C-alpha cells in the first residue's frame, strides 16, 4: 500500500557522534542526565530532554513503519533541537549540522524517507538562506518550524524573508508546537497539561497569527500543515470568524476574514479520535488532510493508517488523498 506519514521525528546518530567529538564548534554539547541518558545543552540557554532511543534507532523505525503500514516518512528533527534560544549565528551553524546529518539519514533509505529541514527562525534572513540550501543542495522538500519563536508569534515582520522564500521554493512548512505557554503559566504544568492542552493551544495561536496577521494573504501559495489535527483551531474556528466580524482588534493587520484563507491550511490526521478526525476532514476537506503519526513518542498514533481507513463515508479517492496523494503533491515527491 502507498502511504506517506508527514509527521515523524528523528535524531541522526551521526549528529550525536559529531557533538561528542567537536560539539563546541556548534555551540552544543552532550550532557548526562541523572538516569544515565544523554541530553543536548545548547550553549547553556536550553537543555533538551534525554534523547530517546526511538529517535535514533533506524531499524526499529523501519520495523514500526512496516507494522503500521507506513511506506514512507517525512522525517524532521526533534523540536527540542530547534535552537531558537541561541544566538542566531550559532544557531545557524548548529542547524546546518542537523540538516546535513538528517540528509545523510534520508539518503541511507531514500525509498522510505523524505526530509523536512530545520531553520534558524529567530533570524528571518538566515532562515530563508538555510531553507534554500536545504532544499536546493540537500534535497529536502520543506521545513518543520515551531508554533512560536522563543515567545513571539509567526506573523512577526522579522519572518517575512522566510515566508517569502518558502512560497518561492514551494516548500511544505510543517508547524509543530514547541515552547508552549507552560513556560509562562504554572496552570499548564500539572497533569501533563503542557502537552495535552498546551500543544494544541499553541498550534491554534500559530494558525491564528497566520490568518489574522495577513501572512497567508501576502503569501497565498504557501503550503502550511498544522500538527495534531490543527490543535484547537478547527473546533473553534467559528469563534475566530465571528470575532473578526465583531471586533476591530481582529482587523488590525488585515481587512480580509480568516475564512478566506482557512482553506489554504492543511492538517495532519493525528487527533486520537475518530470523531475529531472525521470533523477535520468534513471542515477542511479530504484534500487538506495528511497522514501523521508523531513517531516515536508516547503521544504518537501507532496505527495512523488504520485510523484513516476507519473513517466512515470516504471515497477511495478521498482515502488515497489523505494516505499519500496530498503529501505527495505538497512535497513534490513520487511515492
Amino acid at each position: 500500500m502507498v502511504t506517506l506519514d508527514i509527521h515523524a521525528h528523528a535524531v541522526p546518530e551521526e549528529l550525536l557522534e559529531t557533538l561528542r567529538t567537536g560539539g563546541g564548534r556548534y555551540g552544543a554539547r552532550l550532557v548526562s542526565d541523572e538516569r544515565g541518558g544523554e541530553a543536548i545543552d545548547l550553549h547553556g540557554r536550553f537543555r533538551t530532554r534525554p534523547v530517546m532511543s526511538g529517535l535514533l534507532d533506524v531499524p526499529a523505525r523501519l520495523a514500526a513503519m512496516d507494522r503500521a503500514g507506513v511506506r514512507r516518512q517525512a522525517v524532521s528533527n526533534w523540536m527540542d533541537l530547534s535552537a531558537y534560544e541561541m544566538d542566531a549565528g550559532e544557531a545557524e551553524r548548529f542547524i546546518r549540522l542537523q540538516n546535513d546529518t538528517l540528509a545523510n539519514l534520508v539518503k541511507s533509505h531514500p525509498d522510505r524517507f523524505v526530509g523536512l529541514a530545520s531553520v534558524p527562525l529567530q533570524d528571518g534572513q538566515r532562515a530563508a538562506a538555510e531553507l534554500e540550501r536545504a532544499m536546493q543542495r540537500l534535497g529536502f522538500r520543506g521545513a518543520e518550524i515551531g508554533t512560536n519563536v522563543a515567545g513571539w508569534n509567526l506573523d512577526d515582520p522579522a519572518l517575512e524573508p522566510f515566508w517569502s522564500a518558502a512560497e518561492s521554493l514551494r516548500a511544505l512548512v510543517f508547524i509543530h508546537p514547541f515552547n508552549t505557554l507552560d513556560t509562562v503559566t504554572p496552570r499548564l504544568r500539572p497533569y501533563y497539561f503542557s502537552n495535552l492542552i498546551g500543544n494544541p493551544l499553541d498550534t491554534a495561536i500559530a494558525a491564528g497569527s497566520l490568518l489574522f496577521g495577513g501572512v497567508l494573504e501576502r503569501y497565498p501559495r504557501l503550503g502550511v500543515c498544522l500538527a495534531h489535527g490543527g490543535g484547537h483551531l478547527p473546533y473553534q474556528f467559528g469563534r475566530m470568524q465571528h470575532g473578526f466580524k465583531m471586533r476591530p482588534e481582529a482587523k488590525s493587520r488585515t481587512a480580509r476574514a480568516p475564512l478566506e484563507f482557512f482553506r489554504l491550511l492543511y492538517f495532519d490526521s493525528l487527533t486520537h479520535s475518530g470523531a475529531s478526525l472525521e470533523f477535520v476532514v468534513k471542515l477542511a476537506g479530504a484534500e487538506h488532510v495528511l497522514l501523521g503519526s508523531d513517531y516515536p513518542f508516547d503521544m504518537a498514533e501507532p496505527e495512523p493508517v488504520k485510523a484513516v481507513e476507519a473513517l466512515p463515508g470516504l471515497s477511495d479517492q478521498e482515502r488515497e488523498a489523505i494516505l499519500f496523494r496530498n503529501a505527495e503533491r505538497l512535497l513534490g515527491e513520487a511515492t
Side-chain angles (χ1 to χ4, degrees):
M1 180 190 299
V2 179
T3 53
L4 202 166
D5 178 3
I6 199 68
H7 184 175
H9 305 283
V11 174
E13 182 65 48
E14 181 187 358
L15 174 64
L16 297 193
E17 288 296 332
T18 303
L19 296 182
R20 288 188 184 103
T21 59
R25 299 196 305 274
Y26 305 100
R29 62 189 181 94
L30 289 180
V31 294
S32 297
D33 69 358
E34 62 276 7
R35 298 182 180 179
E38 289 183 307
I40 301 173
D41 182 89
L42 304 181
H43 206 159
R45 299 181 182 179
F46 181 82
R47 179 173 291 192
T48 73
R49 293 164 289 176
V51 184
M52 60 186 295
S53 62
L55 289 164
L56 299 163
D57 192 333
V58 175
R61 176 184 299 270
L62 294 172
M65 290 168 63
D66 290 341
R67 289 193 300 272
V70 173
R71 177 60 190 165
R72 299 191 76 190
Q73 277 185 347
V75 289
S76 50
N77 254 311
W78 187 26
M79 288 304 301
D80 277 35
L81 299 179
S82 299
Y84 296 158
E85 298 80 6
M86 298 175 75
D87 169 79
E90 199 166 51
E92 182 179 40
R93 291 192 296 275
F94 180 51
I95 284 174
R96 284 172 68 96
L97 172 65
Q98 288 186 53
N99 288 336
D100 288 345
T101 57
L102 189 62
N104 289 337
L105 174 63
V106 170
K107 290 174 186 175
S108 71
H109 295 278
D111 59 328
R112 305 303 302 271
F113 301 139
V114 57
L116 295 178
S118 300
V119 295
L121 206 59
Q122 61 268 63
D123 184 313
Q125 294 285 0
R126 293 177 191 267
E130 180 57 16
L131 179 65
E132 182 176 358
R133 185 188 81 93
M135 293 187 67
Q136 294 185 347
R137 295 181 56 186
L138 301 180
F140 285 92
R141 303 308 310 148
E144 177 191 50
I145 66 170
T147 44
N148 67 86
V149 187
W152 39 281
N153 283 333
L154 298 183
D155 60 339
D156 193 286
L159 293 179
E160 291 295 297
F162 169 75
W163 294 120
S164 178
E167 183 184 56
S168 177
L169 292 163
R170 304 302 298 268
L172 172 64
V173 180
F174 183 67
I175 298 180
H176 191 288
F178 181 65
N179 190 34
T180 60
L181 293 176
D182 65 298
T183 59
V184 296
T185 174
R187 296 181 62 212
L188 283 175
R189 292 171 193 163
Y191 316 121
Y192 203 49
F193 280 172
S194 59
N195 184 296
L196 305 183
I197 295 175
N199 276 13
L201 172 59
D202 227 61
T203 300
I205 294 171
S209 298
L210 299 181
L211 293 165
F212 287 82
V215 175
L216 295 177
E217 180 179 0
R218 292 189 295 278
Y219 305 105
R221 295 187 301 277
L222 277 173
V224 173
C225 182
L226 304 174
H228 311 128
H232 296 317
L233 176 74
Y235 318 101
Q236 291 297 324
F237 183 74
R239 185 175 180 86
M240 286 190 172
Q241 181 71 7
H242 179 77
F244 183 85
K245 294 177 182 177
M246 303 303 297
R247 300 296 307 184
E249 302 95 325
K251 303 179 184 69
S252 63
R253 296 193 66 185
T254 179
R256 299 176 67 179
L259 185 60
E260 293 188 47
F261 302 100
F262 179 82
R263 289 287 183 175
L264 300 180
L265 295 171
Y266 294 82
F267 305 82
D268 81 3
S269 63
L270 182 59
T271 62
H272 300 290
S273 162
S276 296
L277 180 55
E278 187 176 2
F279 177 78
V280 174
V281 172
K282 183 177 181 180
L283 181 70
E287 68 277 10
H288 280 256
V289 180
L290 286 68
L291 183 70
S293 72
D294 204 4
Y295 183 91
F297 295 101
D298 57 4
M299 289 298 293
E301 170 53 69
E303 298 285 356
V305 175
K306 287 184 178 180
V308 172
E309 290 179 335
L311 287 176
L314 289 182
S315 68
D316 290 343
Q317 292 78 12
E318 289 172 326
R319 189 167 286 105
E320 284 188 358
I322 296 171
L323 290 176
F324 76 96
R325 291 200 186 280
N326 295 334
E328 180 182 74
R329 182 181 74 253
L330 290 168
L331 294 169
E333 283 283 314
T335 51

